[in-house]
Amino acid sequence: MKSSDERQLAIGERHSYPFAMLLILLFLLGVGNFAVHKAVLESGHPMLDALPSFYRSGGGRFSLGFEFVLLLAAMLLTANGWAGMAIAYAIYSLFNFATGWLILSGRI
């Protein structure tokens, strides 16, 4: 049994600074993903008509909820030592930003 002085944190002592920085980066990427996602939903692009109605209902709450689950999973896994998840979420974010830019600028 561990004493109260040996509490376990989500981020271990030896990884605290790099993983804290990754979590901050993931949070900022998540804010960007939410902003782009909401802008695309509000754009009224014809491509949105091809999506199922439950995906668009309630102003896109389902899709924004899914975006939140992805961010939460990435942050939790990164906090527990899976640095590769931060890289995967960053790649996902880059694709989101590129797709959002293409849609919002009228290139698609």
Side-chain angles (χ1 to χ4, degrees), residues 74-90:
M75 290 180 81
L76 287 172
L77 289 170
T78 300
N80 285 297
W82 291 43
M85 187 48 103
I87 295 168
Y89 191 79

Side-chain angles (χ1 to χ4, degrees), residues 5 34 42 81-82 100 103:
D5 293 336
F34 277 102
E42 292 177 352
W82 291 43
I103 291 170

Side-chain angles (χ1 to χ4, degrees), residues 41-94:
L41 287 174
E42 292 177 352
S43 71
H45 193 276
M47 187 172 58
L48 295 173
D49 294 335
L51 295 174
S53 61
F54 73 89
Y55 194 78
R56 291 178 284 130
S57 65
R61 285 192 181 136
F62 177 80
S63 61
L64 289 171
F66 182 71
E67 191 79 46
F68 173 75
V69 170
L70 284 176
L71 174 61
L72 182 64
M75 290 180 81
L76 287 172
L77 289 170
T78 300
N80 285 297
W82 291 43
M85 187 48 103
I87 295 168
Y89 191 79
I91 292 169
Y92 164 76
S93 296
L94 289 175

